[in-house]
């Protein structure tokens, strides 16, 4: 478990970096160009009701605003939410926990989470909650840090791999797929993406909630 997967440590981290998050952290690890590409591949109906989990300063929510009908967004950090509200008044921002979403079941057409799963103490629980609030036939997109091997020919990749393993939740293809399946999602697909300096930094996972299934999540995982 990474050091910043602890809720208290994560809150302190965001208090320290909130004002500098977008130009330093956001544009380094989750640049707008990467988010546009990921969301374009995902595809959303223009009338979709979408939830952005772990919205931070609202960069993803703002991207979603031009692609979906209605956007709700949730984060546990007050400083991050304050900045998000300043930047996008048309998004409904709420403070809350990804593992205990304050929404009724089957509320959203899609749940999106970019750059937040790396802080979740229990990613599988958060994915199960995302499934609960998604309507049958709805979809999921999660982008977090990809687990890469050390050493690499690229020193920047080596630095990122060591830092990410120490601080955050990371997932390779198998773990990302198994977490989503264990949380009850179907049609799980996963691939890597990333900024120019590290094209394999990000692990993107998409899935769907079966329209004909109301069953509880199962822990019976198959590859």
């Amino acid at each position: 478990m990474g050091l910043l997967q602890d809720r208290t440590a994560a809150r302190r981290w965001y208090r320290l970096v909130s004002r500098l998050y977008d130009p330093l952290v956001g544009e380094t690890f989750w640049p707008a160009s990467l988010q546009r590409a990921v969301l374009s591949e995902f595809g959303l109906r223009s009338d979709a009701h979408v939830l952005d989990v772990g919205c931070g300063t609202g960069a993803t929510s703002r991207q979603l605003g031009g692609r979906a009908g209605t956007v709700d967004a949730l984060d546990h950090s007050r400083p991050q939410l304050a900045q998000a509200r300043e930047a996008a008044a048309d998004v409904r921002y709420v403070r809350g926990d990804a593992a205990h979403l304050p929404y009724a079941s089957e509320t959203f057409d899609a749940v999106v989470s970019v750059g937040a799963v790396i802080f979740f103490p229990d990613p599988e629980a958060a994915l199960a909650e995302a499934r609960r609030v998604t309507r049958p036939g709805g979809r999921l997109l999660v982008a977090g840090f990809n687990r890469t091997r050390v050493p690499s020919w690229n020193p920047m990749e080596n630095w990122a791999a060591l830092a990410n393993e120490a601080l955050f939740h990371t997932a390779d293809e198998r773990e990302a797929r198994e977490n989503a399946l264990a949380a009850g999602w179907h049609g799980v697909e996963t691939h890597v993406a990333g900024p120019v300096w590290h094209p394999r930094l990000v692990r993107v996972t998409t899935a769907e909630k079966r329209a004909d299934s109301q069953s509880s999540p199962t822990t019976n995982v198959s590859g």
Side-chain angles (χ1 to χ4, degrees):
M1 183 173 181
L3 294 176
L4 292 182
Q5 285 182 261
D6 175 78
R7 287 189 176 90
T8 301
R11 282 195 292 270
R12 289 172 179 166
W13 158 257
Y14 278 125
R15 280 201 299 269
L16 289 172
V17 305
S18 60
R19 284 294 166 187
L20 298 174
Y21 185 88
D22 284 343
L24 294 182
V25 180
E27 278 304 305
T28 300
F29 298 98
W30 318 100
S33 57
L34 171 64
Q35 298 212 38
R36 283 194 297 270
V38 168
L39 291 173
S40 293
E41 291 174 4
F42 184 53
L44 286 167
R45 297 198 324 263
S46 60
D47 63 345
H49 187 186
V50 182
L51 174 63
D52 179 10
V53 175
C55 64
T57 56
T60 304
S61 301
R62 295 191 291 274
Q63 293 272 357
L64 289 167
R67 301 171 185 273
T70 306
V71 179
D72 284 57
L74 173 141
D75 200 275
H76 67 84
S77 169
R78 286 192 177 93
Q80 298 285 85
L81 283 172
Q83 283 190 247
R85 290 189 177 104
E86 290 176 7
D90 58 339
V91 177
R92 296 185 294 202
Y93 289 103
V94 172
R95 184 169 182 262
D97 184 347
H100 304 281
L101 295 173
Y103 304 100
S105 298
E106 301 182 3
T107 297
F108 300 98
D109 298 304
V111 174
V112 171
S113 184
V114 176
V117 68
I118 63 174
F119 294 100
F120 294 166
D122 188 345
E124 187 182 316
L127 291 173
E129 267 292 88
R131 180 184 179 277
R132 179 185 65 78
V133 302
T134 301
R135 296 183 179 120
R139 301 171 66 210
L140 169 78
L141 183 150
V142 174
F145 283 148
N146 180 41
R147 183 178 299 136
T148 56
R149 294 181 180 180
V150 177
S152 164
W153 65 270
N154 185 338
M156 292 297 289
E157 291 191 13
N158 289 328
W159 169 82
L162 293 172
N164 289 350
E165 284 296 315
L167 296 174
F168 307 107
H169 168 74
T170 65
D172 57 18
E173 179 179 3
R174 179 175 179 176
E175 183 175 351
R177 184 181 299 277
E178 289 184 348
N179 280 344
L181 289 170
W185 292 93
H186 293 85
V188 179
E189 297 182 0
T190 182
H191 67 276
V192 294
V196 173
W197 66 273
H198 192 340
R200 300 187 303 121
L201 178 69
V202 176
R203 170 69 54 185
V204 180
T205 302
T206 59
E208 62 183 4
K209 181 175 179 177
R210 280 187 178 167
D212 60 350
S213 175
Q214 301 297 318
S215 59
S216 300
T218 177
T219 57
N220 182 17
V221 176
S222 62

